[in-house]
Amino acid sequence: MRPMPSEFEIIRRHFSRAAPSAMVGVGDDCALVRSKPGMTLAVTTDMLVEGTHFPAGSDACRLGHKSLAVSLSDLAAMGADPRWGLLSLALPAADDNWLSAFSEGFYSLAARYGVDLIGGDTTRGPLAISVTLIGEVPVELALRRDGALAGDDIWVSGSTGEAALALAALSGRIALAEPFISQCLARLETPEPRVELGGRLRGLAHSAIDVSDGLLADLGHILEMSGAGAEVSYELLPRAPAIASCDDAELVRECLAGGGDDYELLFTAPPARRADVDALSADLGLALTRIGSVVPGEAKTRLLDMQGNALALARSGFDHFR
Amino acid sequence: MRPMPSEFEIIRRHFSRAAPSAMVGVGDDCALVRSKPGMTLAVTTDMLVEGTHFPAGSDACRLGHKSLAVSLSDLAAMGADPRWGLLSLALPAADDNWLSAFSEGFYSLAARYGVDLIGGDTTRGPLAISVTLIGEVPVELALRRDGALAGDDIWVSGSTGEAALALAALSGRIALAEPFISQCLARLETPEPRVELGGRLRGLAHSAIDVSDGLLADLGHILEMSGAGAEVSYELLPRAPAIASCDDAELVRECLAGGGDDYELLFTAPPARRADVDALSADLGLALTRIGSVVPGEAKTRLLDMQGNALALARSGFDHFR
């Protein structure tokens, strides 16, 4: 039997791929990196914990992907170009197979978006994954939450609700047939951060956020920071095939508007730029759907049915402490 | 009874102090910050886990201090000026008193070293604390592990071994009287990162590392990266009063040379700069002790007694997976 690898061995074996953009990478007290002239740093951090964000026994490769994807999604929501990542892992044991799969999932996604892993920490403990990402963006073009203006269109990329529908299926609340269950699980376990979209929205969107807490909850964050309200047409919310196939109207509404874990971008832009948004959608091959408008008034969203009547929601966002 | 605060409430109540150096701080998808022209970013991350790094029920204020101190120590070892911090917390429950004490400990130390907290994450889970720090250093003056040269003096700041002696007392291996037990617990629970020393060693030290794994283990990291060996005189290792009072010679040796959790700086500098190091010590009011020399040859340390004979050590460094 091989001896259990040390924490230095873990880093050497699994987390020492080249970081060409770093002057000093993994292996010193700090990494040393330099930002491009004129660029501002965009910095974000997320922690995923077993039992809270994912169940025990989750696939390590997909976990490696997701733990990076959620932070990439934050950079995307800022319009920032990803540059550097740091990864801290608390692990119950130093399982070489698990580490190999996890690092494969992490590095594959990192390579696609030009992220160099420049530092980290490994320690023994209940499984927890903490990722910090640093990106770059020209400061005046950063997509902030506080830039929405009354009159702006509200747009959302892709579709929401499938990750939440996967959770509903896993918990036994509904039965979901193939191919829908696989589609929903893919959205839950290997979300695709909208990095390219974020970069292209610079100079086009007035405000942006990524949909991680749920569409209405995240729209609410924009409204609070911007000091405006919103009207959203429920029928306009984009529906993936799995959502369209589900005949539990109440669940569909919860998933679409309040599901969370979607990692789409929600953004606002002036109506004069509709053609530009449509052209961007065609260019990226990614649906960008206009779902409502920013309106003057208090920071609340009215979700409207086809007749313009307000709809209620049982649950509008995810909160780990509720 | 007050309702349990949400994760947004936790951040608003406890982690929203002003971050004047940030263009966008806590509250957007990313923080936005800009580095000074000509400076290189030094980035480090550390994770502390209950049951591994500290026992259950540890004082929250001291934990807030220590979780920042260990990362500040990494910046110090690079000669970097601290700038920005990110904090992720996994918490079993949203305990307002705990959070209040923790954030007080964190922010007090942050204020002393000019760290602005610009981002973070809170989630439910077994208690784990992940801190990422970003500092700045002129790249050509960064203190790296790979710069030691044969002939360099080896220096250590302050004294080592008290944190390990505190652990020996807590585990019942020895009895430690006042004031020694309090002194050792202070070193273990509220270590003082050598940030000022690190900055002043720019242009003076050839290499540096912070002593977190144990003096000989961390010296070993310098030797591996620099491709040299070392001779260290055991009798020259600086001894704090608690260590000097301990009559268990074996334990003293383990603590001094292999204890870990010391957060002193170990550095090498050319003999021609001895007077400069001594002047720096006087200026900072911090002992800087010359304990040996870098020698040509393989990356090993010979620990010598007064007669120049090699001493053996039962344990030379800390590893969470051993």
Side-chain angles (χ1 to χ4, degrees):
Chain A
M1 222 179 94
R2 274 191 306 182
M4 186 185 267
S6 73
E7 51 184 312
F8 306 107
E9 267 298 294
I10 289 172
I11 291 165
R12 197 189 57 72
R13 277 191 213 164
H14 301 290
F15 298 108
S16 295
R17 298 194 196 177
S21 71
M23 284 163 275
V24 170
V26 173
D28 213 308
D29 295 284
C30 298
L32 294 181
V33 297
R34 179 165 273 178
S35 68
K36 291 179 188 146
M39 294 295 257
T40 296
L41 300 169
V43 193
T44 183
T45 192
D46 287 282
M47 189 185 261
L48 300 185
V49 177
E50 184 176 86
T52 302
H53 300 88
F54 57 89
S58 291
D59 178 85
C61 182
R62 292 196 285 269
L63 213 46
H65 174 105
K66 183 165 182 174
S67 62
L68 178 57
V70 300
S71 290
L72 279 171
S73 183
D74 285 321
L75 289 184
M78 218 73 192
D81 302 325
R83 296 294 307 275
W84 304 292
L86 299 104
L87 168 67
S88 287
L89 278 176
L91 301 166
D95 177 337
D96 235 21
N97 292 329
W98 190 95
L99 282 160
S100 183
F102 181 90
S103 68
E104 186 52 39
F106 188 95
Y107 274 114
S108 295
L109 187 62
R112 281 173 49 209
Y113 292 113
V115 174
D116 277 343
L117 184 67
I118 57 169
D121 195 11
T122 59
T123 183
R124 189 188 287 277
L127 183 55
I129 305 156
S130 174
V131 171
T132 300
L133 285 186
I134 305 175
E136 291 182 318
V137 62
V139 67
E140 69 283 3
L141 298 180
L143 308 175
R144 299 165 56 148
R145 297 182 179 180
D146 62 4
L149 297 174
D152 275 1
D153 294 327
I154 300 171
W155 299 82
V156 66
S157 66
S159 57
T160 60
E162 291 152 283
L165 197 59
L167 289 176
L170 291 173
S171 72
R173 180 165 167 192
I174 53 151
L176 208 54
E178 288 293 357
F180 303 131
I181 181 66
S182 294
Q183 290 166 0
C184 289
L185 284 172
R187 289 297 304 266
L188 178 67
E189 296 177 345
T190 51
E192 193 56 42
R194 302 304 187 189
V195 176
E196 228 183 326
L197 173 61
R200 298 285 294 274
L201 287 176
R202 293 180 192 165
L204 176 51
H206 278 164
S207 68
I209 193 170
D210 76 317
V211 183
S212 53
D213 296 324
L215 190 144
L216 290 189
D218 288 310
L219 176 56
H221 298 318
I222 284 187
L223 299 178
E224 280 157 37
M225 302 283 281
S226 299
E231 289 182 352
V232 168
S233 296
Y234 179 67
E235 295 304 323
L236 294 180
L237 298 184
R239 286 157 173 77
I243 295 282
S245 79
C246 179
D247 53 11
D248 181 338
E250 172 73 13
L251 176 63
V252 164
R253 197 187 293 176
E254 277 178 40
C255 289
L256 276 179
D261 242 0
D262 298 301
Y263 306 107
E264 297 293 353
L265 294 190
L266 181 79
F267 59 97
T268 77
R273 304 298 299 273
R274 281 181 196 170
D276 295 315
V277 177
D278 288 337
L280 178 56
S281 170
D283 201 30
L284 296 177
L286 174 66
L288 299 176
T289 307
R290 187 156 52 86
I291 60 171
S293 302
V294 180
V295 298
E298 68 171 323
K300 294 219 163 144
T301 299
R302 294 181 68 218
L303 188 66
L304 305 175
D305 67 14
M306 276 190 288
Q307 287 72 43
N309 299 317
L311 290 165
L313 266 185
R315 178 168 172 280
S316 71
F318 195 75
D319 180 338
H320 293 301
F321 289 101
R322 291 256 181 243
Chain B
M1 223 178 94
R2 273 190 306 183
M4 188 185 267
S6 72
E7 51 185 310
F8 306 108
E9 266 299 294
I10 290 172
I11 291 164
R12 197 188 58 72
R13 278 191 212 160
H14 301 290
F15 298 107
S16 294
R17 298 195 196 177
S21 70
M23 284 163 276
V24 170
V26 173
D28 212 308
D29 295 283
C30 298
L32 294 181
V33 297
R34 180 165 273 178
S35 68
K36 291 180 189 145
M39 294 295 256
T40 296
L41 300 169
V43 193
T44 182
T45 194
D46 286 283
M47 190 186 259
L48 300 186
V49 177
E50 184 176 86
T52 302
H53 300 89
F54 56 89
S58 290
D59 179 85
C61 182
R62 292 196 285 268
L63 213 46
H65 173 104
K66 183 165 182 175
S67 61
L68 179 57
V70 299
S71 290
L72 279 171
S73 183
D74 285 321
L75 289 184
M78 218 74 192
D81 303 325
R83 296 293 308 276
W84 304 292
L86 298 104
L87 168 67
S88 288
L89 278 175
L91 301 165
D95 177 335
D96 235 22
N97 292 329
W98 191 95
L99 282 160
S100 183
F102 181 91
S103 68
E104 186 52 39
F106 188 95
Y107 274 114
S108 296
L109 186 62
R112 281 174 50 210
Y113 291 114
V115 174
D116 278 343
L117 184 68
I118 57 169
D121 195 12
T122 59
T123 184
R124 190 189 287 278
L127 183 55
I129 305 155
S130 174
V131 171
T132 301
L133 285 186
I134 305 175
E136 290 182 321
V137 62
V139 66
E140 69 284 3
L141 299 180
L143 309 174
R144 300 165 56 148
R145 296 182 180 180
D146 61 4
L149 297 174
D152 276 1
D153 293 327
I154 301 171
W155 298 83
V156 67
S157 66
S159 57
T160 60
E162 290 152 282
L165 197 60
L167 289 176
L170 292 173
S171 72
R173 179 166 167 193
I174 53 151
L176 209 55
E178 288 294 356
F180 302 132
I181 181 65
S182 295
Q183 291 165 1
C184 289
L185 284 172
R187 289 297 303 266
L188 177 67
E189 296 177 345
T190 52
E192 193 56 43
R194 303 303 188 190
V195 176
E196 230 184 324
L197 172 62
R200 298 286 292 276
L201 287 176
R202 294 180 191 164
L204 176 51
H206 278 165
S207 68
I209 192 169
D210 76 318
V211 183
S212 53
D213 295 324
L215 191 143
L216 290 190
D218 288 309
L219 175 56
H221 298 317
I222 284 187
L223 300 178
E224 280 157 37
M225 302 283 280
S226 299
E231 289 182 352
V232 168
S233 296
Y234 179 67
E235 295 304 323
L236 295 180
L237 298 184
R239 286 156 172 79
I243 294 281
S245 79
C246 180
D247 53 12
D248 181 338
E250 172 73 13
L251 176 62
V252 164
R253 197 187 295 176
E254 277 177 41
C255 289
L256 276 180
D261 242 359
D262 298 301
Y263 306 106
E264 297 293 354
L265 294 190
L266 181 79
F267 59 97
T268 76
R273 304 297 300 273
R274 281 181 195 171
D276 296 314
V277 177
D278 288 337
L280 178 57
S281 170
D283 202 29
L284 295 176
L286 174 66
L288 299 176
T289 307
R290 188 155 50 86
I291 60 171
S293 302
V294 180
V295 298
E298 68 172 323
K300 295 218 162 146
T301 298
R302 294 180 68 218
L303 188 65
L304 306 174
D305 66 14
M306 275 190 288
Q307 286 71 44
N309 299 316
L311 291 164
L313 265 185
R315 178 169 171 280
S316 71
F318 196 75
D319 180 338
H320 293 302
F321 289 101
R322 291 257 181 241

